Amino acid sequence: MNDKLFCLDGLRALVTGAAGSIGLKTSVALAKQGSKVVMLDYREDALKSASEEVTKITGYTPDVFTQDLSDIQAVKSVFNEVEQKFGNIDVLINNAGIDKDCLFMRMSEEHLDRVMNLNFKVPFLLSQSAVLSMAKRRFGRIINISSVVAFIGNPGQANYCSSKSALLGLTKTIAREYAQRGITANCVAPGAIKSPMTEVLSEDAKNAFISKIPVGYMGEPDEVAYTVTFLASKEASYITGQTLHVNGGMLME
């Protein structure tokens, strides 16, 4: 019996930040739908554990690639290195990201640059390499993980909100420029999702978040992963330049 929701057979996906909660669940979801998966992260031990978890759940053993994406010079060649090692990448999922929170007037340029580099410049550079490769085959999927705060702002996160907002413009531009080459580009904007990033919040902060969510609870990483998997599929070929919100109604557009 075929229990696949969408067809990813024959496609190879690169997931950045793959050792994190959303990256791991996305890798699992992609593998379940038939995609070959390359998991990329800078944390070698965590990446090994994450890949083993994918194998345990799906029976499929993903490829792994260790790389510190904060090294911008290395990022310029990493996509080509991944393709040379594992084969053509059909789906790029720019999931890796960091936050360095501070009130706006106290935020240093270092904190601004670190967040903008990893959250925006890295997806920009990886997408450039991806488009060059995908355009030759006239097929590709680029999926950028944005955030609900790109639309509503958040105190103490001027750098993070700005980086996630910048992804929206990048995504729409790629979508317009390369639609006729068979490449789609879309964003997924998670709301309050259970993750190590949200676990460090105080109970008051969590409750404040939940009070703004009509469904009444924080989402699971799986719920983001399912949305990413749909956009990666062949069935989503007529969707491009869009942002799919996964936020329990926290923001309605």
Side-chain angles (χ1 to χ4, degrees), residues 43-84:
R43 300 163 291 185
E44 188 170 358
D45 290 343
L47 185 58
K48 183 175 182 293
S49 297
S51 67
E52 290 173 349
E53 185 71 9
V54 173
T55 303
K56 179 181 177 181
I57 295 172
T58 69
Y60 164 78
T61 301
D63 294 310
V64 296
F65 193 90
T66 305
Q67 177 64 55
D68 181 0
L69 294 180
S70 66
D71 182 351
I72 295 298
Q73 291 305 310
V75 170
K76 294 178 180 179
S77 61
V78 71
F79 188 90
N80 292 335
E81 290 177 16
V82 168
E83 285 206 322
Q84 289 171 9

Side-chain angles (χ1 to χ4, degrees), residues 25 188 192-193 215 217-228 246:
K25 294 300 184 179
V188 175
I193 304 296
V215 300
Y217 60 88
M218 296 179 73
E220 297 287 345
D222 297 275
E223 294 171 294
V224 179
Y226 300 148
T227 307
V228 172
V246 185

Side-chain angles (χ1 to χ4, degrees), residues 15-35:
V15 182
T16 70
S21 53
I22 290 177
L24 168 59
K25 294 300 184 179
T26 297
S27 298
V28 169
L30 291 167
K32 282 184 175 180
Q33 301 307 315
S35 175

